[in-house]
């Protein structure tokens, strides 16, 4: 039980009640490190409830500001294709991967951090940010641009793909397949 609490899978209330499953009533999505080892989980609520998404807490294995969802699968493909696409959430990264766009990663519920950008620049010189086509997505893209500005250097930059208003990458591939998404990225 102590290990499950330390790993963030169980929550032990301070009032002495029994431990309970952090991700109860949620679809659990494994978060892996660059080598493919599971280091945390994301949980999407099934049905009504808040918060809609929940990640494991920070643990000795999991630092969400240094972790990119799907990096273990996307990195080898990105090295070959010369591109990596950053989307807002792990369900968008999963949808793109299923549609055949295998170079998609996502930060874990936080703004894109400097540590994550450095990881991306180790793979490609110009990562593509493709956040949702809503106001929140635009704000997230602007925050990423502002955060990246002092880090830009010769041969290391960012590109931005703008989605239609109100759409996210999952919407685009569901409606038009990988070809529609590729056209937006181009």
């Amino acid at each position: 039980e102590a290990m499950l609490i330390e790993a963030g899978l169980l929550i032990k209330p301070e009032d002495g009640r029994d431990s309970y499953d952090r991700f109860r009533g949620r679809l659990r999505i494994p978060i892996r490190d660059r080598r493919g080892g599971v280091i945390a989980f994301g949980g999407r609520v099934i049905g009504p409830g808040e918060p809609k998404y929940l990640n494991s807490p920070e643990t000795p294995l999991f630092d969400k500001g240094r972790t990119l969802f799907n990096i273990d699968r996307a990195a080898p493909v990105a090295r070959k294709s010369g591109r990596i696409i950053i989307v807002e959430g792990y369900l968008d990264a999963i949808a793109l991967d299923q549609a055949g766009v295998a170079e998609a990663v996502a930060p874990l519920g936080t703004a894109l951090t400097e540590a994550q950008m450095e990881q991306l620049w180790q793979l490609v010189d110009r990562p593509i940010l493709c956040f949702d086509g809503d106001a929140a997505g635009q704000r997230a893209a602007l925050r990423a641009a502002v955060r990246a500005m002092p880090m830009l250097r010769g041969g290391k930059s960012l590109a931005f793909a703008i989605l239609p208003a109100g759409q996210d990458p999952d919407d685009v591939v569901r409606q038009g397949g990988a070809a529609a998404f590729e056209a937006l990225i181009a």
Side-chain angles (χ1 to χ4, degrees):
E1 182 178 7
M3 290 175 68
L4 292 172
I5 292 168
E6 182 182 13
L9 295 172
L10 291 180
I11 294 175
K12 178 70 173 165
E14 291 182 17
D15 64 9
R17 289 181 295 155
D18 289 341
S19 305
Y20 61 91
D21 178 4
R22 175 179 304 274
F23 297 103
R24 67 198 178 284
R26 295 176 181 276
L27 170 67
R28 290 181 201 188
I29 300 167
I31 298 169
R32 299 177 305 267
D33 63 17
R34 290 181 76 121
R35 294 178 308 276
V38 175
I39 58 171
F41 290 92
R44 165 66 160 87
V45 72
I46 299 171
E50 292 294 328
K52 187 174 180 180
Y53 293 96
L54 179 67
N55 287 327
S56 292
E58 303 260 332
T59 68
L61 292 176
F62 177 55
D63 177 344
K64 74 178 176 179
R66 295 189 170 282
T67 304
L68 288 161
F69 177 78
N70 201 42
I71 191 69
D72 61 312
R73 293 173 53 94
V77 180
R79 282 188 197 96
K80 289 179 184 170
S81 70
R83 74 173 188 181
I84 194 153
I85 302 160
I86 303 93
V87 295
E88 278 188 67
Y90 36 75
L91 292 182
D92 288 320
I94 291 169
L96 288 174
D97 191 81
Q98 288 177 336
V101 181
E103 308 100 317
V105 297
L108 297 161
T110 61
L112 192 63
T113 67
E114 290 87 348
Q116 290 166 331
M117 284 186 243
E118 287 294 347
Q119 284 184 57
L120 295 165
W121 280 323
Q122 289 173 8
L123 297 171
V124 302
D125 292 337
R126 194 169 146 240
I128 303 166
L129 272 72
C130 182
F131 292 159
D132 296 356
D134 59 11
Q138 291 172 1
R139 285 191 304 274
L142 181 59
R143 281 192 310 271
V146 168
R147 186 169 270 180
M149 289 297 280
M151 300 173 66
L152 298 178
R153 57 194 182 274
K156 301 294 181 188
S157 64
L158 292 175
F160 294 85
I162 309 300
L163 294 181
Q167 291 198 330
D168 61 29
D170 183 35
D171 296 327
V172 173
V173 295
R174 271 191 286 121
Q175 293 170 8
F181 185 78
E182 293 289 354
L184 287 170
I185 294 297

